[in-house]
Amino acid sequence: MKKRRSAQVTQGVEKAPARSLFYAMGYTKEELDRPLIGVVSAHSEIVPGHFNLDKVTEAVKAGVRMAGGTPIMIPAIGVCDGIAMGHIGMKYSLASRELIADSVETMTMAHALDGLVLVPNCDKIVPGMVMAAVRMNVPAVVCSGGAMMPGMVDDKEISLSTMFEAVGARKANLIDDAKLYEYETGACPGCGSCAGMYTANSMNCLCEAIGIALPGNGTIPAVSNGRMLLAKYAGMAIMDLVERDIKARDIINTRSIYNAVACDMALGCSSNSVLHLLAIANEAGVELDLDIFNQISNKVPNLCHLAPAGQTHISDLNQAGGIPAVQAELAKKGLLDLDVMTVTGKTLGENIVSAKVKDPNVIRPIDHPYSENGGIAVLWGNIATEGCVVKRSAVAQEMLCHEGPARVFDGEEEAIAAIYAGKIKAGDVVVIRYEGPKGGPGMREMLNPTSALAGMQLDKSVALITDGRFSGASRGASIGHVSPEAASGGTIGLLKEGDLIEIDIPNHKINAKVSEEEFAARKAVYTAPAPKITTGWLARYAKLVSSANTGAVMK
């Protein structure tokens, strides 16, 4: 093992002042002579997925101590997307990913830590922490907090997506207040990341798929004893990585990122996973673009239909064999690189040698997939010349190809008001613009509009297009990440009410039936709206953030 990074703050005569500050906190000389391991915990009392992270963090620290290290807890922020949804708070969610990455970098570098165990659980916190580890290229293990169990109403398993759709059903008078209350008290029965294949669980599963987390990280429920065992093993694993000098970029590289994209397609992850994988690749110095997602999607079949695409949840995926079982199916067709290193200290192939599918109703066999193509598709056309993204596995068959008139709204609030007022009809294509990384700013999720449409039973007849993004809990023809965004001069900003929009997901096309000449004429008289946010750090973010097709990273 190389000389420890922490020697910069613990060893030698010159470091006596630093040691005195450690002694002030009760650290012993013996503890300072061991590797210092940052345990970055996003525990808080405002995020259900993070409510239990104090327990997970303590278990990680126990594992570090058992393996001969000194664990040091460091806090991290985290936004609950469900609570932030539908108001100004959602502008802060994606943007917080950069704050998290920067703060983890700051604490690690300022205190010369030897390695990190990252303890996140929800949407932007997971990729933010991973981005920091890859940026600094330090030994790191992700140990998430685990998935929430599904709720139960009318003898049917439900989760957060059901709750949002119930709002639409109530607005359409399909249910009454009593039933709505039954849903809201039953949808989320305890701590953990919300129970479907939403963004949080997508990223927790993909951390496992990319090799930066131990097997089981993505699927073991938050309330299971297995989660505490996993946390202790994560604490032990980081000590092995530090001893062997295995760093984040030894694990996260081109080969493992392609593995993660393949698992993404098989699992039917949130469309937000595209943003986050692009951002992680950017930090790792790996070339990854939207074309590669389609190339892999064209080869990798979709094996899972978890909520909102289907009726199963993460706990069911865990019982069915978890991510190793999915990987074992993909390996049968040579769709993964099995020689990549993982945080177990073993290769992916060694990790999954005994994995198998225990429930083919949850993880379909490779020869009997839901579809021959992956769960995510990237579309191109005259309103998305740099691409846009749809979770294909959550789109009804009849909406894979659709043509309809544009119903244009300059922001989510206008759109949701029209939907709730019953002004959106079957066949329409709802266009929500000026919600991109710059225009939002912050690229808000559009779960309220998509859920309202689903709750009103319009998800099989109405499409939604935005330069913002969608929650992993969204279903239907929900096409996001339109690039370039309206605020950057994208054609989506030139659309008018009634323009015919043609969507062809199987052929990766999305176009407005408007001539180039007409678009040029509209552009000549176009006036960009004033920025929505002009103060605070979001104003700085809007000036520095890149387009969604490059991961909405800070430049």
Side-chain angles (χ1 to χ4, degrees), residues 14 20 38 88 161 217 240 242 268 322 443 474 499 506 527:
E14 299 85 354
S20 73
I88 193 173
S161 57
N217 179 77
D240 180 56
V242 169
M443 204 179 180
S474 291
D499 285 344
T527 302

Side-chain angles (χ1 to χ4, degrees), residues 210-359:
I210 211 169
I212 199 70
L214 295 174
N217 179 77
T219 60
I220 296 173
V223 295
S224 168
N225 68 317
R227 183 55 55 175
M228 295 300 104
L229 296 175
L230 184 80
K232 291 179 181 178
Y233 286 125
M236 297 181 206
I238 189 59
M239 294 306 299
D240 180 56
L241 296 181
V242 169
E243 178 68 28
R244 296 170 61 185
D245 197 31
I246 297 174
K247 302 184 182 73
R249 290 196 191 186
D250 296 322
I251 292 168
I252 297 181
N253 48 49
T254 301
R255 295 158 61 199
S256 65
I257 289 173
Y258 281 25
N259 278 349
V261 174
C263 286
D264 193 337
M265 298 304 165
L267 291 165
C269 291
S270 163
S271 58
N272 283 317
S273 64
V274 175
L275 279 176
H276 300 321
L277 288 174
L278 287 168
I280 290 167
N282 176 69
E283 297 289 357
V286 171
E287 289 189 15
L288 183 67
D289 58 32
L290 294 181
D291 281 315
I292 292 170
F293 283 87
N294 268 356
Q295 290 171 21
I296 295 176
S297 179
N298 288 338
K299 295 187 295 184
V300 178
N302 179 225
L303 305 182
C304 300
H305 266 192
L306 294 117
Q311 300 303 313
T312 52
H313 296 88
I314 298 298
S315 54
D316 300 308
L317 179 60
N318 189 63
Q319 291 291 333
I323 304 309
V326 174
Q327 292 172 316
E329 286 300 303
L330 295 180
K332 291 178 180 178
K333 293 285 182 76
L335 296 171
L336 295 176
D337 185 333
L338 300 180
D339 293 327
V340 296
M341 177 58 65
T342 72
V343 293
T344 65
K346 300 177 182 178
T347 66
L348 172 59
E350 291 172 321
N351 286 347
I352 66 172
V353 66
S354 61
K356 62 181 180 179
V357 175
K358 300 176 183 178
D359 186 346

Side-chain angles (χ1 to χ4, degrees), residues 3 21 61 142 290 423 503 523:
K3 182 179 179 181
L21 294 169
K61 290 165 66 178
V142 171
L290 294 181
K423 296 180 180 179
I503 300 166
K523 190 171 185 177

Side-chain angles (χ1 to χ4, degrees), residues 100-102 104-105 127-137 283:
I100 292 161
D102 291 350
V104 173
E105 176 191 358
M129 289 187 180
V130 174
M131 287 163 63
V134 176
R135 179 189 300 171
M136 294 180 291
N137 197 26
E283 297 289 357

Side-chain angles (χ1 to χ4, degrees), residues 303-462:
L303 305 182
C304 300
H305 266 192
L306 294 117
Q311 300 303 313
T312 52
H313 296 88
I314 298 298
S315 54
D316 300 308
L317 179 60
N318 189 63
Q319 291 291 333
I323 304 309
V326 174
Q327 292 172 316
E329 286 300 303
L330 295 180
K332 291 178 180 178
K333 293 285 182 76
L335 296 171
L336 295 176
D337 185 333
L338 300 180
D339 293 327
V340 296
M341 177 58 65
T342 72
V343 293
T344 65
K346 300 177 182 178
T347 66
L348 172 59
E350 291 172 321
N351 286 347
I352 66 172
V353 66
S354 61
K356 62 181 180 179
V357 175
K358 300 176 183 178
D359 186 346
N361 294 314
V362 179
I363 304 171
R364 286 200 174 181
I366 193 77
D367 291 322
H368 184 54
Y370 282 101
S371 68
E372 294 295 335
N373 301 111
I376 289 175
V378 179
L379 315 181
W380 280 272
N382 63 2
I383 57 174
T385 57
E386 295 177 0
C388 57
V389 180
V390 62
K391 184 173 179 175
R392 173 167 44 193
S393 59
V395 179
Q397 187 69 28
E398 55 266 44
M399 288 299 291
L400 290 173
C401 294
H402 179 76
E403 182 178 308
R407 305 297 309 280
V408 181
F409 303 95
D410 290 346
E412 180 189 9
E413 288 81 4
E414 288 183 16
I416 197 69
I419 294 169
Y420 285 159
K423 296 180 180 179
I424 303 302
K425 307 299 181 185
D428 286 347
V429 177
V430 176
V431 176
I432 305 178
R433 60 195 184 188
Y434 299 105
E435 289 287 4
K438 288 183 179 293
M443 204 179 180
R444 286 193 292 181
E445 289 182 343
M446 303 290 134
L447 180 55
N448 279 338
T450 60
S451 298
L453 292 170
M456 294 174 173
Q457 300 180 1
L458 290 171
D459 58 298
K460 295 181 179 180
S461 60
V462 172

Side-chain angles (χ1 to χ4, degrees), residues 87-110:
H87 63 97
I88 193 173
M90 182 47 70
K91 294 179 184 291
Y92 287 86
S93 176
L94 178 62
S96 73
R97 185 188 70 184
E98 315 308 310
L99 285 184
I100 292 161
D102 291 350
S103 63
V104 173
E105 176 191 358
T106 299
M107 296 300 285
T108 303
M109 300 303 290

